[in-house]
Amino acid sequence: GEARRTLCACAVGSLDNTFSIWLTSQPRPMLIGADVFEAAVNDLSWAPDGLTCLFASLDGSVSHVRMTEASCDFDVLRGDQVKTLLRSMYGEPAERDAQRREAAL
């Protein structure tokens, strides 16, 4: 099959009561959540499924966005797949730590 590029999704909460989800492959957010909260978005977290993001507001409410795999133009990596990708890009954690210690000397 055709090789798919690697990209990253980033969720952002804002003081103007909105939230957005950005993809590194796009210059604009793929989604903006407006008129959901009455106060600033103060916390968010991606669920382990890689498709669901939960948002919390200072108004005491919580909301979530759930994307479907069909709506995504990318493969969602989970668990060990993420660890394997990061190791292929950056090496083993112990090796990185040793390199940092050597560079600091």
Side-chain angles (χ1 to χ4, degrees):
E2 184 179 322
R4 295 180 74 149
R5 63 189 162 169
T6 301
L7 57 90
C8 183
C10 180
V12 179
S14 180
L15 293 174
D16 69 357
N17 312 349
T18 66
F19 59 86
S20 55
I21 297 179
W22 296 74
L23 298 178
T24 54
S25 63
Q26 298 178 0
R28 294 182 180 11
M30 69 176 287
L31 175 130
I32 298 174
D35 299 321
V36 176
F37 298 116
E38 295 179 12
V41 177
N42 67 320
D43 201 5
L44 61 92
S45 180
W46 286 98
D49 69 6
L51 294 168
T52 305
C53 191
L54 298 121
F55 300 89
S57 171
L58 290 174
D59 67 15
S61 62
V62 177
S63 185
H64 79 281
V65 171
R66 173 137 170 68
M67 298 176 283
T68 64
E69 297 224 24
S71 71
C72 298
D73 187 28
F74 53 89
D75 295 326
V76 177
L77 301 182
R78 294 178 180 89
D80 287 341
Q81 293 172 314
V82 174
K83 292 176 186 175
T84 299
L85 175 64
L86 293 175
R87 283 189 177 112
S88 74
M89 294 171 68
Y90 303 110
E92 291 293 329
E95 293 171 13
R96 288 193 314 266
D97 292 343
Q99 291 171 350
R100 283 190 202 123
R101 283 192 295 275
E102 286 178 20
L105 297 177

